[in-house]
Amino acid sequence: MRYFITFSYDGTRFHGWQIQPNGISVQEVLEESLTKILRAGPITVVGAGRTDASVHAREMVAHFDWPDEAGVLDGPQLVYRLNRLLPRDVSVSRVEQVSPDLHARFSATRRTYHYYIHTAKDPFLRHYSLELHYALDFELMNQAAALLFDYEDFGSFCKSHSDAKTTLCKIYAARWHQLSPTSWYFEIAANRFLRNMVRAVVGTLIEVGRHRMTLSQFREVIERGSRTAAGESMPGHALFLERVEYS
């Protein structure tokens, strides 16, 4: 039997989603908690994506497999027990049995990210939004973001030496939204994302917003397919995986 877990986390102290030798990961604490509770040997979870260090998730999905002979799991009870055991920066909202052929990563059809920025000092935003101190032309940045819909190959925004087998992605949404006179977020949705893609797109759009890159130059960046042509990758602490959707 296969189960989907829907959960959220504050990525501040984590070295990303995926287990790694140099620091604590979200996958590690989730697997350890499931293993302790279910007492059926090591439990391995597969996530819908691999968020980097300091990146947050309002909604992440992962799956794990459970032997038929062990009986059906009580989803609400497992949610309760997981939340009692997990650290305070990880919270599970749902555990549900799904079809055995559903895959948390490969069956996902749409992922949505938000990247937050603010232009006035605010101590309550410092962990979850990027503070900038220069004027930005958001109308021009949205014109540039609209150009993303014309393309499917985003190699220019993929981290160098990535293990991605393809750099093709289908963009469904890309726009800046204003939250207050001094705060905005960039929303981008796609069927899949390349490593560091959102942070690189934001960094390049900021170059446009500062009038350091024209719309035609932004288009050239995409068409060149070279990471060195794009803007810098923005810090991870302001990036949120907002939701993962399935058919």
Side-chain angles (χ1 to χ4, degrees):
M1 291 178 284
R2 176 158 292 180
Y3 288 84
F4 268 24
I5 306 177
T6 304
F7 57 102
S8 57
Y9 54 86
D10 180 329
T12 301
R13 74 181 181 98
F14 292 108
H15 287 243
W17 156 257
Q18 193 171 27
I19 288 178
Q20 50 192 291
N22 64 336
I24 189 169
S25 69
V26 182
Q27 183 183 21
E28 178 184 345
V29 299
L30 186 58
E31 289 184 349
E32 287 179 351
S33 296
L34 280 168
T35 298
K36 287 179 181 178
I37 292 170
L38 298 177
R39 299 181 181 178
I43 300 293
T44 300
V45 298
V46 177
R50 296 183 294 180
T51 56
D52 292 330
S54 303
V55 176
H56 318 287
R58 295 193 204 276
E59 181 184 273
M60 170 66 104
V61 179
H63 78 247
F64 70 94
D65 292 328
W66 182 248
D68 292 339
E69 61 271 18
V72 176
L73 294 174
D74 183 330
Q77 178 65 15
L78 185 53
V79 169
Y80 171 78
R81 297 181 68 186
L82 280 168
N83 283 330
R84 290 285 301 272
L85 187 58
L86 284 164
R88 289 187 294 178
D89 45 10
V90 181
S91 174
V92 176
S93 59
R94 189 167 64 251
V95 175
E96 57 189 340
Q97 187 178 354
V98 298
S99 172
D101 60 353
L102 274 180
H103 193 284
R105 180 182 176 189
F106 298 124
S107 299
T109 57
R110 182 178 178 127
R111 299 162 172 85
T112 301
Y113 282 90
H114 288 178
Y115 194 93
Y116 293 83
I117 67 171
H118 60 286
T119 56
K121 186 176 182 180
D122 188 328
F124 302 108
L125 293 179
R126 69 189 190 281
H127 294 308
Y128 308 105
S129 178
L130 178 64
E131 186 175 323
L132 299 175
H133 297 285
Y134 37 75
L136 291 169
D137 186 337
F138 285 94
E139 181 179 349
L140 190 63
M141 290 161 71
N142 273 332
Q143 291 178 38
L147 298 178
L148 296 170
F149 294 104
D150 295 342
Y151 299 90
E152 291 190 346
D153 192 332
F154 296 101
S156 292
F157 304 120
C158 182
K159 185 173 183 178
S160 300
H161 311 298
S162 168
D163 59 356
K165 294 181 174 60
T166 176
T167 53
L168 300 180
C169 308
K170 177 63 176 177
I171 301 294
Y172 299 122
R175 185 168 181 81
W176 288 92
H177 301 271
Q178 187 167 12
L179 292 169
S180 77
T182 58
S183 62
W184 294 261
Y185 71 89
F186 178 62
E187 178 180 30
I188 184 167
N191 63 331
R192 62 188 294 268
F193 285 93
L194 308 172
R195 189 169 183 191
N196 263 162
M197 177 174 167
V198 179
R199 291 156 62 188
V201 168
V202 171
T204 311
L205 288 174
I206 286 175
E207 290 294 292
V208 174
R210 298 181 71 182
H211 295 163
R212 294 166 60 168
M213 180 183 293
T214 65
L215 292 177
S216 61
Q217 288 172 330
F218 183 81
R219 188 182 286 277
E220 289 172 9
V221 165
I222 302 173
E223 294 176 351
R224 282 181 61 182
S226 171
R227 178 64 187 90
T228 57
E232 66 176 301
S233 178
M234 294 290 98
H237 74 279
L239 180 61
F240 285 74
L241 172 59
E242 288 289 322
R243 56 189 172 273
V244 184
E245 300 173 53
Y246 298 85
S247 297

